[in-house]
Amino acid sequence: LGSIGPAMRHIQARFVDEAGVPRGPGEEGELMVSGPQMASAYLSEGGRLDPIPQNGFRTGDLGHMDADGYIFLTGRRKDLIIRGGVNIAPMEITTVLLTHAAVAEAATIGVPDAVYGEAVVSFVAARAGQRVTPAEMLAHCRTRLSGFKVPEHVIVLDAIPKNDRGKVARDALEALW
């Protein structure tokens, strides 16, 4: 929750839309960074050097910047749920679930939906000695999220599955769904 702070010294950070047009304060976009200290190229397959564009590098992070230059991250472009043509950042929903006092872990994914393309499904694990119900989690979300972002389903687990790097195992969640 909250800002990750302003950009580091000597880094130019801005948010842009899909066409690369800068977004204003508070407007959601993809984080683009540039600056003299950045690498000039990436080493690709076969030893080829792919230059980093001079106008900046798209990070894949979604969010916005406030009028004071503080950066707020809301998700990753590759994780977006596209529901009826609307982009939904799973991290925003997960963050809301984590504000509930009884929730220790949470994760949100998109699953196939015959009408809207994707549906929002969240998974939660309670803190030790606590108990949560799907209905309680949905009520919590309804008071903090726009209606189209509220999960269709909340599934309570003992623990959120992780991969060998400790990150949420999205494929395991999809299998549980």
Side-chain angles (χ1 to χ4, degrees), residues 126-157:
R127 294 185 184 282
Q130 299 286 317
R131 185 174 176 273
V132 295
T133 66
E136 180 183 9
M137 294 297 96
L138 290 170
H140 180 76
C141 287
R142 283 188 192 101
T143 64
R144 291 161 177 82
L145 293 168
S146 299
F148 69 94
K149 295 179 182 179
V150 173
E152 294 284 319
H153 302 278
V154 174
I155 298 169
V156 178
L157 303 172

Side-chain angles (χ1 to χ4, degrees), residues 58-136:
R58 288 179 178 259
T59 65
D61 294 311
L62 300 174
H64 65 275
M65 188 179 296
D66 70 12
D68 296 322
Y70 282 78
I71 297 170
F72 296 79
L73 297 180
T74 57
R76 297 275 303 149
R77 178 165 290 292
K78 70 178 184 173
D79 294 338
L80 281 178
I81 298 168
I82 303 173
R83 179 161 175 75
V86 177
N87 293 342
I88 300 171
M91 185 189 299
E92 180 182 3
I93 299 161
T94 297
T95 300
V96 166
L97 289 164
L98 290 169
T99 65
H100 191 284
V103 174
E105 297 181 293
T108 301
I109 62 170
V111 299
D113 181 89
V115 175
Y116 294 107
E118 286 188 289
V120 178
V121 175
S122 294
F123 299 81
V124 297
R127 294 185 184 282
Q130 299 286 317
R131 185 174 176 273
V132 295
T133 66
E136 180 183 9

Side-chain angles (χ1 to χ4, degrees), residues 9-97:
R9 190 174 177 201
H10 305 297
I11 293 215
Q12 289 80 49
R14 61 192 179 285
F15 287 89
V16 298
D17 66 13
E18 290 182 17
V21 176
R23 306 295 286 163
E27 294 180 326
E28 183 92 5
E30 182 176 2
L31 179 61
M32 183 175 254
V33 294
S34 59
Q37 77 295 345
M38 290 185 61
S40 60
Y42 278 102
L43 183 61
S44 298
E45 292 179 38
R48 188 181 78 242
L49 288 177
D50 291 331
I52 293 176
Q54 289 187 354
N55 66 341
F57 172 74
R58 288 179 178 259
T59 65
D61 294 311
L62 300 174
H64 65 275
M65 188 179 296
D66 70 12
D68 296 322
Y70 282 78
I71 297 170
F72 296 79
L73 297 180
T74 57
R76 297 275 303 149
R77 178 165 290 292
K78 70 178 184 173
D79 294 338
L80 281 178
I81 298 168
I82 303 173
R83 179 161 175 75
V86 177
N87 293 342
I88 300 171
M91 185 189 299
E92 180 182 3
I93 299 161
T94 297
T95 300
V96 166
L97 289 164

